[in-house]
Amino acid sequence: MTTPLTALERDLLACVERLVTACEVSAQELSGLEERSTTKMQNQMDGLAACVSVLIQSQTASVAALHGLLNEGSNYGRLRTQLETSLKLVKAAEERLRQS
């Protein structure tokens, strides 16, 4: 046999139901926020990794140009091309960072 609930018990049950519903909605919203934040952070990390890769390529071109400059048979046209390549790569990395 079930005893009917009192008015106070019904009010308390209604409060508990609202609280459970609010918690479920909050959990869904937090889950969505976490997913969006994780995606944004991953995109930023990917952008930074790409920039580092470009900067490494730029440094490699600069070092090759400087190495060529120190060798006896340097070709200044080639050195200029290598340094221009290095500068283009640095500018590409800078632009990528601005977009991130």
Side-chain angles (χ1 to χ4, degrees):
M1 230 190 216
T2 307
T3 308
L5 298 175
T6 65
L8 182 59
E9 290 172 329
R10 284 191 302 272
D11 286 345
L12 181 58
L13 183 58
C15 287
V16 169
E17 288 174 347
R18 285 195 305 270
L19 182 59
V20 167
T21 301
C23 287
E24 289 171 346
V25 169
S26 179
Q28 288 174 347
E29 289 176 359
L30 287 173
S31 178
L33 176 63
E34 178 187 18
E35 185 177 333
R36 289 188 304 274
S37 296
T38 302
T39 300
K40 184 177 179 180
M41 286 183 357
Q42 185 61 50
N43 289 340
Q44 289 175 336
M45 294 291 288
D46 291 345
L48 286 173
C51 287
V52 168
S53 176
V54 170
L55 289 172
I56 289 171
Q57 292 172 20
S58 170
Q59 287 294 358
T60 302
S62 294
V63 168
L66 292 175
H67 179 45
L69 183 62
L70 296 174
N71 285 335
E72 289 180 25
S74 17
N75 176 336
Y76 291 105
R78 184 172 167 228
L79 294 175
R80 181 182 176 96
T81 301
Q82 287 171 322
L83 290 173
E84 287 173 350
T85 299
S86 176
L87 182 60
K88 286 177 187 175
L89 290 169
V90 167
K91 287 183 178 183
E94 179 183 26
E95 183 61 30
R96 178 77 187 237
L97 283 174
R98 282 190 184 136
Q99 292 174 355
S100 295

